[in-house]
Amino acid sequence: MEKETITVSQINSYINRKLKTDPNLKNILIKGEISNYKSSFSGHSYFTLKDEKSQIDAVMFKGNKDRFLKFEPENGMKVIVKGKIEVYEKTGKYQLYATKITEDGIGNLHLAYEQLKKKLDKEGLFDNAHKKEIPKYPKIIGVVTAQSGAAIRDIITTIKKRYPVSNILVFSTLVQGDQAAQQIVKQIKYAQEFNIDTLIVGRGGGSIEDLWPFNEEIVAHAIYNCKIPIISAVGHEIDYTISDFVADKRAPTPTGAAVLAVPDINEVKNNLNNLSSRANKNITNRIKQNKTKLTHISEKQILKNPESIYEIKGMGLDNIVNKLHFVSKNIINSNKTKLFKLENSIVLKNPIEITKSKRDACLRNIEKLEILNPLLTLKRGYTLAKTNDKVVSSAKDVKTGDQLDIEFDDGIVNTKVI
């Protein structure tokens, strides 16, 4: 009798049920090396866990990743994976469903801290160029921390002792636990709605797990984007968090943050007294100097006899008036002389004589031109020889065969030299 056949889906489902009922595979810890790690669009992560002899496929769903994974796994990383073994019925392959991943040999939180620190540093969140100055004389100090605890008491006590004229606003928040980071971010944003000069963000000491909210990326970005200058004061002097690197100033302790946030009122008073003393001294010296100048000026002769100023100026004015009279008189005399010459000029007395004189000169010039007139020479029986319209003045200027024009008083005769 033949056995009943089953489908592939049925056999995969059967095997999966068997694996699910095995208590050894429900909550298992597997140590190995990560390879082929990748994150999908959905947020799930897929990787292979292997050792020297074998390997197994693994997946970590987004929900577990967001809740329990504090660092980003990398290929080649030695890890311990907590989870369960089940069959993915669609492919018939069994795989590891990871719920938690820890690094083998180094703490997860330390690894996550270093990874986030490197990432934010690369993004520029630690650059000094973005850091704001802490006001020297703040009127209002904001504090984001737990409302109860040693940290807030130390901050308030220190500020009131050092600079009692300032006011303090406390923005209470959780400072540890899964919900702390979100509350810290919320209170930093809320604090910006007030006219606050400086904001202190921090808490007292604790383990790295206790301080972890101040290593969260969302808190780092909230501090970076805050309009108010922020002093980070997390833990003790040896504790460094991501918040310390992003903040505008880092304090070793909450008490140290209060010291950085406000000046010492006694030092302020001493400085004011010194400034007041220097100001009074300078004013006194200036008054003495001005008194000396005033005495020196008041003793001048010109102030004792101010009429002497007008007397001297009057003498100068008299000299100018005398010079004007002298120059004016010379100009008038010169013009009178010119006028006399013009009045006695022959041109004005006998203008006809001037015309006759010019006519005689003109006739004399005409007579000179008549003497030089070549036509008169011709009338006296002389001739004028030309060749090619040029006057021949010497026998050397012509040769045999040249045509000559002989000009007489009454005509021209053409001839040829033979």
Side-chain angles (χ1 to χ4, degrees):
M1 183 176 178
E2 294 184 0
K3 289 186 177 181
E4 181 182 0
T5 60
I6 60 176
T7 65
V8 174
S9 299
Q10 288 173 329
I11 189 62
N12 284 343
S13 178
Y14 174 79
I15 294 173
N16 193 26
R17 287 196 302 272
K18 286 292 185 180
L19 293 180
K20 284 183 177 180
T21 58
D22 188 338
N24 293 324
L25 302 178
K26 285 184 177 181
N27 193 13
I28 191 170
L29 294 173
I30 304 178
K31 180 167 65 172
E33 178 183 320
I34 290 179
S35 66
N36 301 320
Y37 182 86
K38 62 179 180 179
S39 293
S40 67
F41 178 78
S42 64
H44 304 330
S45 293
Y46 301 90
F47 59 97
T48 299
L49 192 64
K50 65 179 184 178
D51 57 18
E52 295 82 0
K53 298 180 180 180
S54 186
Q55 66 182 34
I56 184 174
D57 291 335
V59 60
M60 189 173 198
F61 294 136
K62 183 179 184 300
N64 290 326
K65 184 178 177 180
D66 291 342
R67 290 179 61 194
F68 302 115
L69 191 60
K70 298 296 185 181
F71 63 95
E72 185 67 16
E74 298 176 354
N75 291 330
M77 188 178 289
K78 305 290 185 180
V79 295
I80 298 175
V81 181
K82 180 180 180 181
K84 59 186 177 180
I85 303 294
E86 293 182 1
V87 171
Y88 183 43
E89 296 183 16
K90 186 174 182 179
T91 62
K93 294 181 179 180
Y94 71 87
Q95 60 184 5
L96 172 61
Y97 289 85
T99 56
K100 190 174 183 181
I101 301 176
T102 59
E103 190 174 16
D104 187 18
I106 187 172
N108 290 339
L109 295 181
H110 178 74
L111 177 63
Y113 172 87
E114 292 298 334
Q115 287 182 342
L116 182 59
K117 181 181 174 184
K118 183 177 180 181
K119 174 187 176 184
L120 297 181
D121 188 20
K122 188 175 181 180
E123 292 177 0
L125 269 69
F126 302 162
D127 289 351
N128 289 328
H130 298 292
K131 297 187 183 298
K132 298 177 285 294
E133 290 290 334
I134 306 300
K136 291 184 177 181
Y137 307 104
K139 295 179 180 178
I140 303 177
I141 304 293
V143 184
V144 176
T145 190
Q147 191 168 7
S148 60
I152 188 61
R153 291 196 300 270
D154 292 343
I155 291 173
I156 293 175
T157 300
T158 303
I159 290 177
K160 289 301 181 184
K161 181 179 178 180
R162 286 177 59 85
Y163 200 63
V165 296
S166 64
N167 295 316
I168 303 172
L169 294 180
V170 179
F171 300 89
S172 180
T173 179
L174 293 175
V175 292
Q176 67 184 63
D178 294 339
Q179 303 301 317
Q182 288 82 358
Q183 283 201 19
I184 293 170
V185 170
K186 180 181 178 181
Q187 293 295 59
I188 290 175
K189 292 180 179 179
Y190 181 50
Q192 295 177 70
E193 297 180 9
F194 297 84
N195 189 24
I196 293 174
D197 298 297
T198 304
L199 188 63
I200 298 174
V201 178
R203 56 155 292 160
S207 64
I208 187 171
E209 290 82 5
D210 295 338
L211 304 181
W212 192 254
F214 297 92
N215 289 321
E216 294 282 2
E217 186 170 1
I218 58 172
V219 174
H221 281 286
I223 292 175
Y224 180 80
N225 293 320
C226 184
K227 299 181 297 182
I228 307 170
I230 289 182
I231 300 175
S232 176
V234 182
H236 299 300
E237 189 168 355
I238 60 173
D239 297 320
Y240 273 85
T241 63
I242 299 296
S243 298
D244 294 330
F245 296 105
V246 183
D248 302 297
K249 202 79 174 178
R250 185 252 177 185
T253 62
T255 301
V259 172
L260 290 175
V262 296
D264 187 339
I265 191 67
N266 293 322
E267 292 181 1
V268 174
K269 289 180 179 179
N270 290 335
N271 290 335
L272 289 175
N273 290 334
N274 290 335
L275 290 174
S276 177
S277 177
R278 289 170 57 187
N280 290 333
K281 185 176 180 180
N282 288 334
I283 292 172
T284 301
N285 291 336
R286 184 63 61 86
I287 292 173
K288 288 181 179 179
Q289 292 173 2
N290 290 337
K291 282 183 176 180
T292 301
K293 290 181 180 179
L294 180 60
T295 301
H296 179 69
I297 293 171
S298 62
E299 291 177 351
K300 287 187 175 182
Q301 186 64 29
I302 198 169
L303 292 180
K304 292 182 177 180
N305 186 16
E307 294 179 354
S308 62
I309 297 176
Y310 301 101
E311 293 172 353
I312 295 173
K313 296 294 182 182
M315 292 172 64
L317 181 60
D318 291 340
N319 290 332
I320 293 172
V321 171
N322 291 334
K323 287 181 179 179
L324 286 174
H325 286 164
F326 178 77
V327 171
S328 299
K329 186 175 181 180
N330 286 340
I331 292 172
I332 292 171
N333 291 335
S334 176
N335 289 336
K336 283 182 177 181
T337 302
K338 290 180 181 179
L339 180 60
F340 177 78
K341 289 180 179 181
L342 290 174
E343 289 175 344
N344 293 283
S345 172
I346 190 170
V347 175
L348 295 177
K349 288 185 175 182
N350 192 1
I352 296 174
E353 188 66 26
I354 292 297
T355 303
K356 181 180 178 182
S357 174
K358 289 184 177 181
R359 183 187 63 187
D360 293 342
C362 183
L363 291 174
R364 286 193 295 272
N365 290 332
I366 291 172
E367 289 176 356
K368 291 179 181 179
L369 290 174
E370 287 292 337
I371 294 172
L372 297 175
N373 188 349
L375 296 177
L376 293 178
T377 304
L378 295 177
K379 286 182 179 181
R380 290 196 298 271
Y382 293 96
T383 60
L384 182 65
K386 293 182 179 180
T387 177
N388 296 327
D389 292 331
K390 292 183 178 180
V391 176
V392 178
S393 59
S394 174
K396 296 178 181 179
D397 295 336
V398 296
K399 59 184 179 294
T400 303
D402 286 347
Q403 294 288 337
L404 291 177
D405 294 327
I406 307 300
E407 185 175 351
F408 293 88
D409 178 48
D410 57 353
I412 297 174
V413 176
N414 295 320
T415 185
K416 183 177 182 182
V417 180
I418 58 176

